[in-house]
């Protein structure tokens, strides 16, 4: 009986993975290559395939096999397989606990959300998005009720969807530290920030062709395996893959903002190296890929900020940049360039925020989501609350909703509970970086252009495990202690603290 159920499970899994692969290739094509006019025809085909995938993944025999295997976990000898069964069993709750009708209605609602949001943002008019957001929040409150367990209540349910094991209690502790330690620190550091940079840096034009060359150079520096990866261009940079055999990243070139493509490329390289270095044995299982959003973001931030924005890194690679832009960067020292890429200032837009102020933008969203889900905040009061919290925590108050509550797409496709993982990722990164430095000579590796040493350390401690370990387990493996936000505070204060601040 057990063997039979394992066989049913594995055969169906093979099919689902193949369907997901097709879906992935079409999605990648849509983001990078496809002409606009192809959309309708493509959507028709996607709909057919989506139905087929749903049929296979909700097949009764398959679902019964999962239930059976879960009931007989102790009879399974392979630890990874046990973990996988627990994971797919947990995912079944969406189909089992949420009434089908409601689930489908919600899918339709969030499919139309982004378009309505985009119009509201473009017209700078919250009232266009308000009714849709109201419905999305109502649905999320209902989903919370359906999925609540003895351990997870309210907003916890949503937080756990995006970062398994994280709860309001744990996030409260983390954000409290940001509030009491980081907010006053940032206010001081950014108060008298009148640093002026060379106009060539702020107003120069940097042709795309040369920027592309530098991005390709970065691929080499970070040891990106071009036999199993590609770099392309897209509106919003991202990393995409379904196995470690084919990992694709994109970046975006702004001719008037040189550093945008540089740090987007390094950021996505961090995500990609993680995926590439997962153990191949997971490729044909549902344990493939990165462990969680927070851990994923910790890898991209570690590469982008701790390595890519370090002085030692630019001491090595700045000359290459100057070679590509001899006129534009003439007379600009590596020190000035380093300061330029590490400037901290109060700003309104999260995705443009610097390393220091970034978590404060997330703090604003965390507090808002928490009170939206527990019913203390009404959707109609959102714009006002947003402005209030921005002045309180970031020290800058948006005038328009476009640069306030309407700036992010996430809520429009139903993602409530996602934002906190961004700040968590940076905090994980600081803790990992601290312990990595105790075991290997990171600075020397950067200085000798030997990033492989860092890649190898991360492969051994984080990457190779794919989803076979939870975020908490990975932090324990890599740093020998549970997540501790203190390392993040120390790191930021050390990097951005000035003697007279
Ligand atoms: Zn990222």
């Amino acid at each position: 009986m057990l063997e039979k159920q394992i066989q049913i499970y594995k055969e169906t899994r093979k099919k689902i993975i193949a369907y997901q692969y097709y879906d992935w290739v079409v999605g990648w094509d849509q983001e990078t290559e496809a002409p606009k006019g192809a959309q309708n025809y493509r959507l028709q085909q996607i709909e057919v395939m989506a139905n087929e995938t749903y049929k296979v993944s909700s097949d009764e025999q398959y679902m019964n096999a999962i239930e059976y295997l879960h009931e007989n976990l102790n009879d399974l000898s392979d630890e990874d397989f046990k973990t996988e069964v627990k994971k797919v069993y947990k995912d079944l709750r969406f189909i089992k606990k949420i009434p089908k009708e409601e689930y489908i209605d919600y899918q339709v609602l969030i499919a139309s959300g982004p378009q309505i949001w985009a119009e509201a943002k473009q017209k700078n008019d919250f009232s266009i998005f308000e009714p849709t957001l109201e419905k999305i929040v109502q649905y999320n409150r209902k989903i919370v009720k359906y999925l609540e367990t003895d351990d997870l209540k309210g907003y916890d349910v949503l937080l756990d969807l995006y970062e398994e094991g994280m709860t309001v209690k744990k996030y409260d502790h983390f954000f409290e530290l940001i509030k009491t330690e980081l907010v006053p620190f940032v206010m001081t550091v950014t108060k008298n920030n009148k640093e002026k940079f060379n106009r060539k840096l702020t107003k120069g034009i940097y042709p795309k062709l040369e920027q592309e060359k530098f991005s390709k150079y970065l691929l080499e520096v970070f040891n990106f395996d071009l036999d199993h990866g590609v770099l392309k261009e897209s509106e919003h940079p991202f990393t995409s893959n379904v196995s470690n055999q084919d990992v694709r990243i994109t970046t975006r070139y702004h001719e008037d903002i040189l550093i945008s493509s540089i740090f987007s490329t390094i950021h996505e390289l961090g995500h990609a190296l993680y995926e590439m270095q997962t153990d191949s044995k997971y490729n044909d299982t549902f344990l493939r890929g990165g462990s969680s959003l927070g851990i994923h973001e910790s890898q991209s931030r570690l590469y982008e900020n701790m390595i890519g924005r370090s002085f030692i890194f630019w001491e090595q690679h700045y000359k290459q940049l100057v070679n590509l832009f001899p006129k534009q960067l003439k007379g600009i020292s590596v020190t000035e360039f380093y300061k330029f890429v590490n400037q901290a200032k109060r700003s309104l837009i999260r995705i443009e925020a610097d390393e220091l102020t970034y978590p404060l933008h997330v703090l604003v969203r965390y507090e808002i989501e928490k009170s939206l889900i527990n019913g203390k905040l009404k959707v109609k009061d959102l714009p006002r609350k947003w402005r209030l919290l921005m002045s309180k925590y970031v020290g800058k108050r948006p005038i328009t909703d476009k640069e306030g509550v309407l700036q992010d797409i996430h809520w429009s496709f139903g993602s409530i509970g996602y934002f906190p993982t961004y700040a968590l990722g940076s905090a994980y990164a600081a803790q990992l970086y601290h312990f990595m430095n105790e075991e290997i000579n990171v600075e020397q590796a950067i200085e000798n252009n030997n990033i492989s040493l860092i890649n190898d350390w991360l492969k051994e401690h984080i990457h190779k495990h794919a989803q076979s370990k939870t975020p908490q387990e990975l932090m324990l493996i890599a740093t020998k202690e549970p997540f501790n936000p203190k390392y993040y505070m120390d790191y930021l204060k050390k990097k951005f603290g000035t003697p007279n601040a």
Side-chain angles (χ1 to χ4, degrees), residues 139 142 290 353:
Y139 264 110
K142 266 203 266 181

Side-chain angles (χ1 to χ4, degrees), residues 14 248-249 332 488:
K14 197 172 175 184
R248 307 181 184 190
I249 60 173
I332 294 166
Y488 185 36

Side-chain angles (χ1 to χ4, degrees), residues 239 267-268 271 296-297 300-301 304 422:
T239 298
H267 182 97
E268 299 309 327
H271 284 301
H296 235 299
E297 203 59 16
S300 53
R301 300 286 165 113
E304 178 194 345
Y422 288 129

